[in-house]
Amino acid sequence: MEWKLIHAASAGLFPQLIAIPLHRDHGIITMASGHNDVIKLLPTMVITEKEVDHFLNAMEAILRNSQEVGSENWKTIYQIAKRTIKGGD
């Protein structure tokens, strides 16, 4: 049910399942690209191994959390989808 609602609200909403917690929980800014489930990463010109490790650890944690419908990440996106379909609030 959640998956259908998310795609009914917006075909481009699914990447937010990753982008929102990356920013909220890890301070990493990414961008969802259009309606094709793409996440854009814009790394700095110089990036350290520590920063790469931080990103990879954050992404791994988010993907692990996002595998379960009902997880914190799914609840966030589900609420956005419901508000989108209702037309705001």
Side-chain angles (χ1 to χ4, degrees):
M1 178 172 123
E2 287 87 352
W3 178 256
K4 289 181 182 182
L5 176 66
I6 288 170
H7 274 277
S10 171
L13 190 55
F14 182 74
Q16 298 302 330
L17 183 68
I18 306 301
I20 289 172
L22 271 175
H23 182 256
R24 179 191 64 212
D25 302 338
H26 303 279
I28 298 170
I29 299 172
T30 57
M31 185 173 102
S33 176
H35 295 285
N36 52 7
D37 292 345
V38 171
I39 298 170
K40 289 184 178 181
L41 304 174
L42 299 171
T44 59
M45 294 295 286
V46 178
I47 190 166
T48 67
E49 188 173 338
K50 181 180 175 184
E51 292 165 325
V52 170
D53 288 343
H54 173 68
F55 172 77
L56 292 175
N57 290 333
M59 183 65 99
E60 181 181 0
I62 290 163
L63 291 173
R64 191 173 33 255
N65 180 275
S66 299
Q67 289 177 1
E68 297 179 30
V69 173
S71 69
E72 180 183 349
N73 294 346
W74 273 100
K75 288 177 185 176
T76 299
I77 297 306
Y78 185 71
Q79 292 304 316
I80 292 170
K82 284 181 19 181
R83 287 192 298 265
T84 301
I85 288 175
K86 285 183 179 179
D89 283 353

Coordinates of all heavy atoms in Angstrom, one line a residue:
M1 N 0.8 -1.2 0.0 CA 0.0 0.0 0.0 C 0.9 1.3 0.0 O 0.6 2.2 -0.8 CB -0.9 0.0 1.2 CG -1.8 1.2 1.3 SD -3.0 1.1 2.6 CE -2.6 2.5 3.6
E2 N 1.9 1.3 0.8 CA 2.8 2.5 0.9 C 3.4 2.8 -0.4 O 3.5 3.9 -0.8 CB 3.8 2.3 2.0 CG 3.3 2.5 3.4 CD 2.8 1.1 4.0 OE1 2.7 0.1 3.2 OE2 2.4 1.1 5.2
W3 N 4.0 1.7 -1.1 CA 4.7 1.9 -2.3 C 3.8 2.5 -3.4 O 4.1 3.5 -4.1 CB 5.2 0.6 -2.8 CG 5.9 0.6 -4.1 CD1 5.4 0.2 -5.3 CD2 7.2 1.2 -4.3 NE1 6.3 0.5 -6.3 CE2 7.5 1.0 -5.7 CE3 8.2 1.7 -3.5 CZ2 8.6 1.4 -6.3 CZ3 9.4 2.1 -4.1 CH2 9.6 2.0 -5.5
K4 N 2.5 2.0 -3.5 CA 1.6 2.6 -4.5 C 1.2 4.0 -4.1 O 1.1 4.9 -5.0 CB 0.3 1.7 -4.5 CG 0.5 0.4 -5.1 CD -0.7 -0.4 -5.2 CE -0.5 -1.8 -5.8 NZ -1.7 -2.6 -5.9
L5 N 1.0 4.3 -2.9 CA 0.7 5.7 -2.5 C 1.9 6.7 -2.8 O 1.6 7.7 -3.4 CB 0.4 5.8 -1.0 CG 0.2 7.2 -0.4 CD1 -1.1 7.8 -1.0 CD2 0.1 7.2 1.1
I6 N 3.1 6.2 -2.6 CA 4.3 7.1 -2.8 C 4.3 7.4 -4.3 O 4.5 8.5 -4.7 CB 5.5 6.4 -2.3 CG1 5.6 6.5 -0.8 CG2 6.8 7.1 -2.9 CD1 6.7 5.7 -0.1
H7 N 4.1 6.4 -5.2 CA 4.2 6.6 -6.6 C 3.0 7.3 -7.1 O 3.0 8.1 -8.1 CB 4.4 5.3 -7.4 CG 5.9 5.0 -7.5 ND1 6.7 5.6 -8.4 CD2 6.7 4.2 -6.7 CE1 7.9 5.1 -8.3 NE2 8.0 4.3 -7.2
A8 N 1.8 7.2 -6.5 CA 0.6 7.9 -6.9 C 0.8 9.4 -6.6 O 0.3 10.3 -7.3 CB -0.6 7.4 -6.2
A9 N 1.4 9.7 -5.5 CA 1.7 11.1 -5.1 C 2.6 11.8 -6.1 O 2.4 12.9 -6.5 CB 2.2 11.2 -3.7
S10 N 3.7 11.1 -6.4 CA 4.7 11.7 -7.3 C 5.7 10.6 -7.7 O 6.3 9.9 -6.8 CB 5.5 12.8 -6.6 OG 6.5 13.2 -7.4
A11 N 5.9 10.4 -9.0 CA 6.9 9.4 -9.4 C 8.3 9.8 -9.0 O 9.1 8.9 -8.9 CB 6.8 9.3 -11.0
G12 N 8.6 11.0 -8.6 CA 9.9 11.4 -8.2 C 10.1 11.4 -6.7 O 11.1 11.9 -6.2
L13 N 9.1 11.0 -5.9 CA 9.1 11.0 -4.5 C 10.0 9.9 -3.9 O 10.6 10.1 -2.9 CB 7.7 10.9 -3.9 CG 7.5 11.1 -2.4 CD1 8.1 12.5 -2.0 CD2 6.0 11.0 -2.0
F14 N 10.1 8.8 -4.6 CA 10.9 7.7 -4.0 C 12.4 8.1 -3.7 O 12.9 7.7 -2.6 CB 10.9 6.4 -4.9 CG 11.6 5.3 -4.4 CD1 11.1 4.5 -3.3 CD2 12.9 5.0 -4.8 CE1 11.8 3.5 -2.8 CE2 13.6 3.9 -4.3 CZ 13.1 3.2 -3.3
P15 N 13.1 8.8 -4.5 CA 14.4 9.2 -4.1 C 14.5 10.0 -2.8 O 15.6 10.0 -2.2 CB 14.9 10.0 -5.3 CG 14.1 9.7 -6.5 CD 12.8 9.3 -5.9
Q16 N 13.4 10.6 -2.4 CA 13.4 11.3 -1.2 C 13.6 10.4 0.0 O 14.0 10.8 1.1 CB 12.1 12.2 -1.0 CG 12.0 13.2 -2.1 CD 13.2 14.2 -2.2 OE1 13.8 14.5 -1.2 NE2 13.4 14.7 -3.4
L17 N 13.2 9.1 -0.2 CA 13.4 8.1 0.8 C 14.9 8.0 1.3 O 15.2 7.7 2.4 CB 12.9 6.8 0.3 CG 13.0 5.6 1.3 CD1 12.0 5.7 2.4 CD2 12.7 4.3 0.5
I18 N 15.8 8.4 0.3 CA 17.2 8.4 0.6 C 17.7 9.8 0.9 O 18.4 10.0 1.9 CB 18.0 7.9 -0.6 CG1 17.5 6.5 -1.0 CG2 19.5 7.9 -0.4 CD1 17.6 5.4 0.0
A19 N 17.3 10.8 0.1 CA 17.8 12.2 0.2 C 17.4 12.8 1.5 O 18.2 13.5 2.1 CB 17.3 13.0 -1.0
I20 N 16.2 12.6 2.0 CA 15.8 13.3 3.3 C 16.6 12.8 4.5 O 17.2 13.6 5.2 CB 14.3 13.2 3.5 CG1 13.5 14.0 2.5 CG2 13.9 13.5 4.9 CD1 12.0 13.8 2.5
P21 N 16.7 11.5 4.7 CA 17.5 11.1 5.9 C 19.0 11.3 5.7 O 19.7 11.5 6.7 CB 17.2 9.6 6.0 CG 16.6 9.2 4.8 CD 16.0 10.4 4.1
L22 N 19.5 11.4 4.5 CA 20.9 11.7 4.3 C 21.2 13.1 4.8 O 22.1 13.4 5.5 CB 21.3 11.7 2.8 CG 21.8 10.4 2.3 CD1 22.1 10.5 0.8 CD2 23.1 9.9 3.0
H23 N 20.2 14.0 4.6 CA 20.4 15.4 5.1 C 20.0 15.5 6.5 O 20.8 16.0 7.3 CB 19.5 16.4 4.2 CG 19.7 17.8 4.7 ND1 18.8 18.4 5.4 CD2 20.7 18.7 4.5 CE1 19.2 19.7 5.7 NE2 20.4 19.8 5.1
R24 N 18.9 15.0 6.9 CA 18.4 15.1 8.3 C 19.3 14.4 9.3 O 19.6 15.0 10.3 CB 17.0 14.5 8.3 CG 16.3 14.5 9.7 CD 15.1 13.6 9.8 NE 15.5 12.2 9.5 CZ 14.7 11.3 8.9 NH1 13.5 11.6 8.5 NH2 15.1 10.1 8.8
D25 N 19.8 13.2 9.0 CA 20.5 12.4 10.0 C 22.0 12.5 9.8 O 22.7 12.2 10.8 CB 20.1 11.0 9.9 CG 18.6 10.8 10.1 OD1 17.9 11.6 10.7 OD2 18.1 9.7 9.6
H26 N 22.5 12.9 8.6 CA 23.9 12.9 8.4 C 24.5 14.2 7.9 O 25.7 14.2 7.6 CB 24.3 11.7 7.5 CG 23.8 10.4 8.0 ND1 24.5 9.6 8.9 CD2 22.7 9.7 7.7 CE1 23.8 8.5 9.2 NE2 22.7 8.5 8.5
G27 N 23.7 15.2 7.6 CA 24.2 16.4 7.1 C 24.7 16.4 5.7 O 25.5 17.2 5.3
I28 N 24.3 15.4 4.9 CA 24.8 15.2 3.5 C 23.6 15.7 2.6 O 22.5 15.2 2.6 CB 25.1 13.8 3.2 CG1 26.3 13.3 4.1 CG2 25.5 13.6 1.7 CD1 26.5 11.8 4.1
I29 N 24.0 16.7 1.7 CA 23.0 17.2 0.8 C 23.1 16.5 -0.5 O 24.1 16.4 -1.1 CB 23.2 18.8 0.6 CG1 23.0 19.5 2.0 CG2 22.2 19.3 -0.4 CD1 23.4 20.9 2.0
T30 N 21.9 16.0 -1.0 CA 21.8 15.4 -2.3 C 20.6 15.9 -2.9 O 19.9 16.8 -2.3 CB 21.7 13.8 -2.2 OG1 20.6 13.5 -1.4 CG2 22.9 13.2 -1.6
M31 N 20.3 15.5 -4.1 CA 19.1 16.0 -4.8 C 18.4 14.9 -5.6 O 19.1 14.1 -6.3 CB 19.5 17.1 -5.8 CG 18.4 17.8 -6.5 SD 19.1 19.2 -7.4 CE 19.0 18.5 -9.0
A32 N 17.1 14.8 -5.5 CA 16.4 13.9 -6.4 C 16.2 14.5 -7.7 O 16.0 15.7 -7.9 CB 15.0 13.6 -5.7
S33 N 16.4 13.7 -8.8 CA 16.4 14.2 -10.1 C 15.1 13.8 -10.9 O 15.0 12.7 -11.3 CB 17.6 13.7 -10.9 OG 17.6 14.2 -12.2
G34 N 14.2 14.8 -11.1 CA 13.1 14.5 -11.9 C 12.2 13.4 -11.4 O 12.1 13.2 -10.3
H35 N 11.6 12.7 -12.4 CA 10.6 11.7 -12.1 C 11.1 10.3 -12.4 O 10.4 9.4 -12.8 CB 9.3 11.9 -12.8 CG 8.6 13.2 -12.4 ND1 7.9 13.3 -11.2 CD2 8.5 14.4 -12.9 CE1 7.4 14.5 -11.1 NE2 7.8 15.2 -12.1
N36 N 12.4 10.1 -12.3 CA 13.0 8.8 -12.7 C 13.8 8.2 -11.6 O 14.7 7.4 -11.9 CB 13.8 9.0 -13.9 CG 14.9 10.1 -13.8 OD1 15.0 10.7 -12.7 ND2 15.5 10.5 -14.8
D37 N 13.5 8.4 -10.3 CA 14.1 7.7 -9.2 C 15.7 7.8 -9.2 O 16.4 6.8 -9.0 CB 13.7 6.3 -9.1 CG 12.2 6.2 -8.7 OD1 11.6 7.2 -8.3 OD2 11.7 5.1 -8.9
V38 N 16.2 9.0 -9.5 CA 17.6 9.2 -9.6 C 18.0 10.2 -8.4 O 17.3 11.2 -8.2 CB 18.1 9.8 -10.9 CG1 19.5 10.3 -10.9 CG2 17.8 8.8 -12.0
I39 N 19.1 9.9 -7.8 CA 19.7 10.8 -6.7 C 21.0 11.3 -7.2 O 21.9 10.6 -7.7 CB 19.9 10.0 -5.4 CG1 18.6 9.5 -4.9 CG2 20.5 10.9 -4.4 CD1 18.7 8.5 -3.8
K40 N 21.1 12.7 -7.2 CA 22.3 13.3 -7.7 C 23.2 13.6 -6.5 O 22.8 14.1 -5.5 CB 22.0 14.6 -8.4 CG 21.4 14.5 -9.7 CD 21.2 15.9 -10.3 CE 20.5 15.8 -11.7 NZ 20.4 17.1 -12.3
L41 N 24.5 13.3 -6.7 CA 25.5 13.6 -5.7 C 26.5 14.6 -6.3 O 26.9 14.4 -7.5 CB 26.3 12.4 -5.3 CG 25.5 11.2 -4.8 CD1 26.4 10.0 -4.6 CD2 24.8 11.6 -3.5
L42 N 26.8 15.7 -5.6 CA 27.8 16.7 -6.1 C 28.9 16.8 -5.1 O 28.9 17.6 -4.2 CB 27.1 18.0 -6.3 CG 25.9 18.1 -7.3 CD1 25.2 19.4 -7.2 CD2 26.4 17.8 -8.7
P43 N 29.9 15.9 -5.3 CA 31.0 15.9 -4.3 C 31.9 17.2 -4.5 O 31.9 17.8 -5.6 CB 31.8 14.7 -4.6 CG 31.5 14.4 -6.1 CD 30.1 14.9 -6.3
T44 N 32.6 17.6 -3.5 CA 33.5 18.7 -3.6 C 34.6 18.4 -4.5 O 34.9 17.2 -4.9 CB 34.0 19.1 -2.2 OG1 34.7 17.9 -1.7 CG2 32.9 19.4 -1.3
M45 N 35.4 19.4 -5.0 CA 36.5 19.2 -5.8 C 37.6 18.3 -5.1 O 38.3 17.6 -5.8 CB 37.1 20.5 -6.3 CG 36.2 21.3 -7.2 SD 35.8 20.4 -8.8 CE 37.4 20.7 -9.6
V46 N 37.7 18.5 -3.8 CA 38.7 17.8 -3.0 C 37.9 17.1 -2.0 O 37.2 17.7 -1.2 CB 39.7 18.7 -2.4 CG1 40.7 17.9 -1.6 CG2 40.5 19.5 -3.5
I47 N 38.1 15.8 -1.9 CA 37.3 15.0 -0.9 C 38.3 14.0 -0.2 O 39.1 13.4 -0.9 CB 36.1 14.2 -1.5 CG1 35.2 13.7 -0.5 CG2 36.6 13.2 -2.6 CD1 33.9 13.2 -1.0
T48 N 38.2 14.0 1.1 CA 39.1 13.1 1.8 C 38.5 11.7 2.0 O 37.3 11.5 1.8 CB 39.3 13.7 3.2 OG1 38.1 13.6 4.0 CG2 39.8 15.1 3.2
E49 N 39.3 10.8 2.4 CA 38.9 9.4 2.6 C 37.9 9.4 3.7 O 36.9 8.6 3.7 CB 40.1 8.5 2.9 CG 39.7 7.0 3.0 CD 40.9 6.1 3.1 OE1 42.0 6.5 2.7 OE2 40.7 5.0 3.5
K50 N 38.1 10.2 4.7 CA 37.2 10.3 5.9 C 35.8 10.7 5.4 O 34.8 10.2 5.9 CB 37.7 11.3 6.9 CG 36.9 11.4 8.2 CD 37.5 12.4 9.1 CE 36.6 12.6 10.3 NZ 37.1 13.7 11.2
E51 N 35.7 11.7 4.5 CA 34.4 12.2 4.0 C 33.7 11.1 3.1 O 32.5 10.9 3.2 CB 34.6 13.4 3.2 CG 35.0 14.6 4.1 CD 35.5 15.8 3.3 OE1 36.2 15.6 2.3 OE2 35.3 16.9 3.7
V52 N 34.5 10.4 2.4 CA 34.0 9.3 1.6 C 33.4 8.2 2.5 O 32.3 7.7 2.3 CB 35.0 8.7 0.6 CG1 34.5 7.4 0.0 CG2 35.4 9.7 -0.4
D53 N 34.2 7.8 3.5 CA 33.7 6.8 4.5 C 32.4 7.3 5.2 O 31.5 6.5 5.4 CB 34.8 6.5 5.5 CG 35.9 5.7 5.0 OD1 35.8 5.1 3.9 OD2 37.0 5.7 5.6
H54 N 32.3 8.6 5.5 CA 31.1 9.1 6.2 C 29.9 8.9 5.3 O 28.9 8.5 5.7 CB 31.3 10.6 6.5 CG 30.1 11.3 7.0 ND1 29.5 11.0 8.2 CD2 29.3 12.2 6.5 CE1 28.5 11.7 8.4 NE2 28.3 12.5 7.3
F55 N 30.1 9.3 4.0 CA 29.0 9.2 3.0 C 28.6 7.7 2.9 O 27.4 7.4 2.9 CB 29.4 9.7 1.7 CG 28.3 9.4 0.6 CD1 27.1 10.1 0.6 CD2 28.5 8.4 -0.3 CE1 26.2 9.8 -0.3 CE2 27.6 8.1 -1.2 CZ 26.4 8.8 -1.2
L56 N 29.6 6.8 2.7 CA 29.2 5.4 2.5 C 28.6 4.8 3.7 O 27.6 4.0 3.6 CB 30.5 4.6 2.1 CG 31.1 5.0 0.7 CD1 32.4 4.2 0.5 CD2 30.1 4.7 -0.4
N57 N 29.0 5.1 4.9 CA 28.4 4.6 6.1 C 27.0 5.1 6.3 O 26.1 4.4 6.6 CB 29.2 5.0 7.3 CG 30.5 4.2 7.4 OD1 30.6 3.1 6.9 ND2 31.5 4.8 8.0
A58 N 26.8 6.4 5.9 CA 25.4 7.0 6.0 C 24.5 6.3 5.0 O 23.4 6.0 5.3 CB 25.5 8.5 5.8
M59 N 25.0 6.2 3.8 CA 24.2 5.5 2.7 C 23.8 4.1 3.1 O 22.6 3.7 3.0 CB 24.9 5.6 1.4 CG 24.1 5.0 0.3 SD 22.6 6.0 -0.1 CE 23.2 6.9 -1.5
E60 N 24.7 3.4 3.6 CA 24.5 2.0 4.1 C 23.4 2.0 5.2 O 22.5 1.1 5.1 CB 25.8 1.3 4.6 CG 25.6 -0.1 5.0 CD 26.8 -0.7 5.5 OE1 27.9 -0.1 5.5 OE2 26.8 -1.9 5.9
A61 N 23.5 2.8 6.1 CA 22.5 2.9 7.2 C 21.1 3.2 6.7 O 20.1 2.6 7.1 CB 23.0 3.9 8.3
I62 N 21.1 4.2 5.8 CA 19.8 4.6 5.2 C 19.2 3.5 4.4 O 18.0 3.2 4.5 CB 19.9 5.9 4.4 CG1 20.2 7.0 5.4 CG2 18.7 6.2 3.6 CD1 20.7 8.3 4.8
L63 N 19.9 2.9 3.6 CA 19.4 1.8 2.7 C 18.9 0.6 3.6 O 17.9 0.0 3.3 CB 20.5 1.3 1.7 CG 20.8 2.3 0.6 CD1 22.0 1.8 -0.2 CD2 19.6 2.6 -0.2
R64 N 19.7 0.3 4.7 CA 19.3 -0.7 5.6 C 17.9 -0.4 6.2 O 17.0 -1.2 6.3 CB 20.3 -1.0 6.6 CG 20.2 -2.2 7.5 CD 21.3 -2.5 8.4 NE 22.0 -1.4 9.0 CZ 23.3 -1.0 8.6 NH1 23.9 -1.6 7.6 NH2 23.8 0.1 9.1
N65 N 17.8 0.9 6.7 CA 16.5 1.3 7.3 C 15.4 1.3 6.3 O 14.2 1.0 6.7 CB 16.7 2.7 7.9 CG 15.5 3.2 8.6 OD1 14.6 3.8 8.0 ND2 15.4 3.0 9.9
S66 N 15.7 1.7 5.1 CA 14.6 1.9 4.1 C 14.1 0.6 3.5 O 13.1 0.6 2.7 CB 15.2 2.7 2.9 OG 15.5 4.0 3.4
Q67 N 14.7 -0.6 3.8 CA 14.3 -1.8 3.3 C 13.0 -2.3 3.9 O 12.3 -3.1 3.3 CB 15.4 -2.9 3.5 CG 16.5 -2.7 2.5 CD 17.6 -3.7 2.8 OE1 17.5 -4.6 3.6 NE2 18.7 -3.6 2.1
E68 N 12.7 -1.8 5.1 CA 11.5 -2.2 5.8 C 10.4 -1.2 5.7 O 10.6 -0.1 6.2 CB 11.8 -2.5 7.3 CG 12.8 -3.6 7.5 CD 13.1 -3.8 8.9 OE1 12.3 -3.6 9.8 OE2 14.3 -4.2 9.2
V69 N 9.3 -1.5 5.0 CA 8.1 -0.6 5.0 C 7.7 -0.5 6.5 O 7.6 -1.5 7.2 CB 7.0 -1.2 4.2 CG1 5.8 -0.3 4.3 CG2 7.5 -1.2 2.7
G70 N 7.5 0.7 6.9 CA 7.1 1.0 8.3 C 8.3 1.5 9.1 O 8.1 2.0 10.2
S71 N 9.5 1.6 8.5 CA 10.7 2.1 9.2 C 10.5 3.7 9.2 O 9.6 4.2 8.6 CB 11.9 1.8 8.4 OG 12.0 2.5 7.1
E72 N 11.4 4.3 10.0 CA 11.3 5.8 10.1 C 11.4 6.5 8.7 O 10.6 7.4 8.5 CB 12.5 6.2 11.0 CG 12.5 7.7 11.2 CD 13.7 8.2 12.0 OE1 14.4 7.4 12.6 OE2 13.9 9.4 12.0
N73 N 12.2 6.0 7.8 CA 12.3 6.6 6.5 C 11.0 6.5 5.7 O 10.6 7.4 5.1 CB 13.5 6.0 5.8 CG 14.8 6.4 6.4 OD1 14.9 7.2 7.3 ND2 15.9 5.7 6.0
W74 N 10.5 5.3 5.7 CA 9.2 5.0 5.0 C 8.1 5.9 5.6 O 7.3 6.4 4.9 CB 8.8 3.6 5.1 CG 9.4 2.8 3.9 CD1 10.5 2.0 4.0 CD2 9.0 2.8 2.6 NE1 10.8 1.5 2.8 CE2 9.9 1.9 1.9 CE3 7.9 3.4 1.9 CZ2 9.7 1.7 0.5 CZ3 7.8 3.1 0.5 CH2 8.7 2.3 -0.2
K75 N 8.0 6.0 6.9 CA 7.0 6.8 7.6 C 7.1 8.3 7.1 O 6.1 8.9 6.8 CB 7.1 6.7 9.1 CG 6.7 5.4 9.6 CD 6.8 5.3 11.1 CE 6.5 4.0 11.6 NZ 6.8 3.8 13.1
T76 N 8.3 8.8 7.0 CA 8.5 10.2 6.6 C 8.0 10.4 5.1 O 7.2 11.3 4.9 CB 10.0 10.6 6.6 OG1 10.4 10.5 7.9 CG2 10.2 12.0 6.1
I77 N 8.3 9.5 4.2 CA 7.9 9.6 2.8 C 6.4 9.3 2.7 O 5.7 10.0 1.9 CB 8.7 8.6 1.9 CG1 10.2 9.0 2.0 CG2 8.2 8.6 0.5 CD1 10.5 10.5 1.6
Y78 N 5.9 8.4 3.5 CA 4.5 8.1 3.4 C 3.7 9.3 3.8 O 2.7 9.7 3.2 CB 4.2 6.9 4.4 CG 2.8 6.4 4.4 CD1 2.3 5.7 3.2 CD2 2.0 6.6 5.4 CE1 1.0 5.3 3.2 CE2 0.7 6.1 5.4 CZ 0.2 5.4 4.3 OH -1.1 5.0 4.3
Q79 N 4.1 10.0 4.9 CA 3.4 11.3 5.3 C 3.5 12.3 4.2 O 2.5 13.0 4.0 CB 4.0 11.8 6.6 CG 3.7 10.9 7.8 CD 2.2 10.6 8.0 OE1 1.4 11.5 7.9 NE2 1.9 9.4 8.2
I80 N 4.6 12.5 3.5 CA 4.7 13.5 2.4 C 3.8 13.1 1.3 O 3.1 13.9 0.8 CB 6.2 13.5 1.9 CG1 7.1 14.2 3.0 CG2 6.2 14.3 0.6 CD1 8.5 14.1 2.7
A81 N 3.7 11.8 1.0 CA 2.8 11.3 -0.1 C 1.4 11.6 0.3 O 0.6 12.1 -0.6 CB 3.0 9.8 -0.3
K82 N 1.0 11.3 1.5 CA -0.4 11.6 1.9 C -0.8 13.1 1.8 O -1.8 13.4 1.3 CB -0.7 11.1 3.3 CG -0.8 9.6 3.4 CD -1.1 9.0 4.8 CE -1.6 9.8 5.9 NZ -1.8 9.1 7.1
R83 N 0.2 13.9 2.2 CA -0.1 15.4 2.2 C -0.1 15.8 0.7 O -0.9 16.7 0.3 CB 1.0 16.1 2.9 CG 0.8 16.1 4.4 CD 1.7 17.1 5.2 NE 3.1 16.8 4.9 CZ 3.9 16.1 5.7 NH1 3.4 15.6 6.8 NH2 5.2 16.0 5.4
T84 N 0.7 15.2 -0.1 CA 0.7 15.6 -1.6 C -0.6 15.3 -2.2 O -1.2 16.1 -3.0 CB 1.9 14.9 -2.3 OG1 3.1 15.2 -1.7 CG2 1.9 15.2 -3.8
I85 N -1.1 14.1 -1.9 CA -2.4 13.6 -2.5 C -3.5 14.5 -2.0 O -4.4 14.9 -2.8 CB -2.6 12.1 -2.3 CG1 -1.6 11.3 -3.2 CG2 -4.1 11.7 -2.6 CD1 -1.7 9.9 -2.9
K86 N -3.5 14.8 -0.7 CA -4.6 15.7 -0.2 C -4.5 17.1 -0.7 O -5.4 17.9 -0.6 CB -4.5 15.7 1.4 CG -4.9 14.5 2.0 CD -4.8 14.6 3.5 CE -5.3 13.4 4.3 NZ -5.2 13.6 5.7
G87 N -3.3 17.5 -1.2 CA -3.2 18.9 -1.7 C -2.6 19.8 -0.6 O -2.8 21.0 -0.7
G88 N -1.8 19.3 0.3 CA -1.1 20.2 1.2 C -1.5 19.8 2.7 O -1.7 18.7 3.0
D89 N -1.7 20.8 3.5 CA -2.0 20.7 4.9 C -0.9 21.3 5.7 O 0.2 21.0 5.7 CB -2.3 19.3 5.4 CG -3.7 18.8 5.1 OD1 -4.5 19.6 4.5 OD2 -3.9 17.6 5.3

